[in-house]
Amino acid sequence: MSKRIELNDLNIYYGKFHAVKDVNMVIEPRAVTAFIGSSGCGKSTVLRSINRMHEVIDGAYVTGEVLLDGVDLYAPNVDPVRVRRQIGMVFQRPNPFPTMSIRENTLAGARLNNSRLSKSEADELVEKSLRGANLWNEVKDRLDKPGSGLSGGQQQRLCIARAIAVSPDVILMDEPCSALDPISTLAIEDLIKELKETYTVVIVTHNMQQAARVSDSTAFFNLKEHGKPGELIEMGPTEKIFHNPDQKATEDYITGRFG
Ligand SMILES: Nc1ncnc2c1ncn2[C@@H]1O[C@H](COP(=O)(O)OP(=O)(O)OP(=O)(O)O)[C@@H](O)[C@H]1O
């Protein structure tokens, strides 16, 4: 299940624009890795390159390697759709299919993989995925109601259930709590800590306390100058990055001196 990700000399471009430069990092399985850094330094771009999601943008491309347990996700024979199944993504704004029921939302990704799920297989998968997203008890009596009727925090957990239902190896989260209230945020943070038992989890967050609360490792990205590509400045155990970073730029960011 949970797999190791390696980025080797990763450069990411949007057409002629060089967005991210020379990233080398190892993201460990069964752990939460947080990406932090000021706006525009390329955190989301790096995150999206891990499941080839940036390729939906015309002209976007990478050089270098992204390895999942040693397998190059950009090798010519690799199907990007398959990569996105193995490596799920949860976005900033919860995006359940609004008219679809809670049950069908949970199954949406899994049905693409296997259209012949029997009723009992589907029931089992719905319960397992909603339990995995800490949502089952809140929705078990209204599985046939639309997903859009849930609160924002519940909708985000529904999106996590949908991601889990395809049995991914990795879950990428791009600021998953930025549209949520503090109580819902704490529920998602608790869930993130549970998810790492089974999946490799990578989260982009602007919230320093959140990075400190949920992550085992933290990667700090920065821009040397406006218009220049973003770079990985430093990565290490979260405790070290927050209390004893090697780079002054990291310390300045953590202590709120810029960004
Ligand atoms: N679709 C796109 N087309 C062209 N340039 C883009 C696109 N998406 C992002 N960029 C540029 O790439 C750079 C990195 O953006 P990215 O969104 O990855 O940064 P970020 O660190 O996640 O920022 P934020 O914290 O504000 O979300 C920025 O200069 C941004 O303008």
Side-chain angles (χ1 to χ4, degrees):
M1 276 278 210
S2 189
K3 291 190 174 169
R4 173 178 283 103
I5 301 163
E6 241 180 279
L7 309 183
N8 294 327
D9 297 328
L10 184 71
N11 284 271
I12 312 175
Y13 301 82
Y14 293 105
K16 290 202 173 91
F17 179 62
H18 191 181
V20 178
K21 188 178 159 193
D22 294 340
V23 174
N24 288 286
M25 67 161 73
V26 174
I27 297 172
E28 295 293 347
R30 294 186 194 281
V32 178
T33 298
F35 289 180
I36 62 168
S38 53
S39 195
C41 64
K43 305 177 295 294
S44 300
T45 297
V46 173
L47 192 78
R48 290 196 296 257
S49 75
I50 296 174
N51 75 347
R52 299 184 58 169
M53 197 64 110
H54 68 287
E55 288 178 8
V56 301
I57 295 158
D58 242 10
Y61 68 98
V62 309
T63 63
E65 280 182 333
V66 178
L67 307 180
L68 186 66
D69 268 5
V71 175
D72 184 0
L73 297 179
Y74 286 84
N77 58 341
V78 174
D79 173 7
V81 174
R82 187 136 177 266
V83 171
R84 289 172 207 145
R85 253 178 239 157
Q86 265 182 299
I87 305 181
M89 186 165 256
V90 174
F91 297 91
Q92 210 166 345
R93 298 212 155 263
N95 58 351
F97 299 109
T99 57
M100 237 184 227
S101 67
I102 293 169
R103 174 188 157 87
E104 287 308 313
N105 260 291
T106 309
L107 292 171
R111 285 209 193 282
L112 292 177
N113 290 353
N114 176 6
S115 53
R116 279 175 292 177
L117 276 178
S118 70
K119 163 102 174 50
S120 63
E121 282 169 338
D123 286 347
E124 206 175 296
L125 186 59
V126 167
E127 178 168 349
K128 185 169 158 234
S129 308
L130 289 170
R131 281 192 190 281
N134 284 348
L135 188 59
W136 175 249
N137 286 336
E138 289 159 67
V139 301
K140 63 176 191 284
D141 299 323
R142 48 173 166 152
L143 293 176
D144 292 318
K145 295 276 185 317
S148 54
L150 298 174
S151 74
Q154 289 171 328
Q155 288 187 21
Q156 195 60 304
R157 280 179 282 147
L158 179 58
C159 294
I160 293 171
R162 183 174 65 191
I164 292 174
V166 299
S167 307
D169 301 311
V170 179
I171 300 182
L172 307 175
M173 298 182 154
D174 198 350
E175 297 185 57
C177 303
S178 65
L180 305 181
D181 62 82
I183 304 266
S184 306
T185 295
L186 286 181
I188 300 278
E189 289 183 5
D190 285 343
L191 176 56
I192 290 171
K193 289 183 216 157
E194 287 172 27
L195 291 173
K196 78 171 180 185
E197 314 272 320
T198 318
Y199 311 98
T200 310
V201 181
V202 189
I203 175 173
V204 169
T205 180
H206 278 279
N207 180 330
M208 294 292 128
Q209 286 83 10
Q210 180 167 77
R213 281 193 297 262
V214 303
S215 72
D216 303 283
S217 291
T218 296
F220 170 62
F221 292 84
N222 199 13
L223 282 175
K224 290 246 163 74
E225 205 180 307
H226 195 66
K228 296 268 188 239
E231 292 176 52
L232 173 65
I233 303 300
E234 180 169 5
M235 181 175 186
T238 296
E239 182 73 17
K240 172 168 168 36
I241 296 292
F242 275 77
H243 296 113
N244 188 22
D246 290 333
Q247 302 296 323
K248 178 156 186 318
T250 314
E251 188 183 343
D252 287 350
Y253 184 76
I254 299 283
T255 54
R257 268 185 285 238
F258 79 93

